[in-house]
Amino acid sequence: MDKKIVIKEVETKNIMTKSNLPVGGYSLNPYIGCTHGCKYCYASFMKRFNKHDEAWGEFLKVHLI
C-alpha cells in the first residue's frame, strides 16, 4: 500500500533552537515531521505544535536557511 507523503520546503532564519535540556544549550531542527509513521515514535507529539491536516508519517517540512 502506497501512501502519499506531503513534502514542503520553508525558509527559516535559523535551524537551531535554544534548549532547556541539561546536556547542551541548543538543538538542531532541520525538519519537522517524518515519512515513516512508526507506531511507537517518540516525536509524534510534535504534530500538535504544527498545523498539519496530514497524519504523523505523512508529512515532512524541510527548513531551508
Side-chain angles (χ1 to χ4, degrees):
M1 179 174 154
D2 292 327
K3 64 180 179 179
K4 184 176 179 180
I5 306 294
V6 176
I7 299 175
K8 295 181 182 176
E9 294 179 344
V10 294
E11 288 192 32
T12 185
K13 293 180 181 179
N14 195 346
I15 60 173
M16 300 292 287
T17 304
K18 185 144 176 62
S19 174
N20 293 324
L21 295 174
V23 276
Y26 290 86
S27 61
L28 181 65
N29 297 301
Y31 60 88
I32 295 173
C34 81
T35 58
H36 317 319
C38 300
K39 186 174 182 177
Y40 301 106
C41 178
Y42 78 94
S44 62
F45 73 92
M46 290 301 294
K47 184 178 185 304
R48 72 179 135 177
F49 298 111
N50 298 274
K51 296 177 178 155
H52 286 278
D53 294 329
E54 302 85 15
W56 185 255
E58 295 180 2
F59 69 92
L60 186 68
K61 185 178 352 177
V62 181
H63 294 150
L64 304 173
I65 51 173

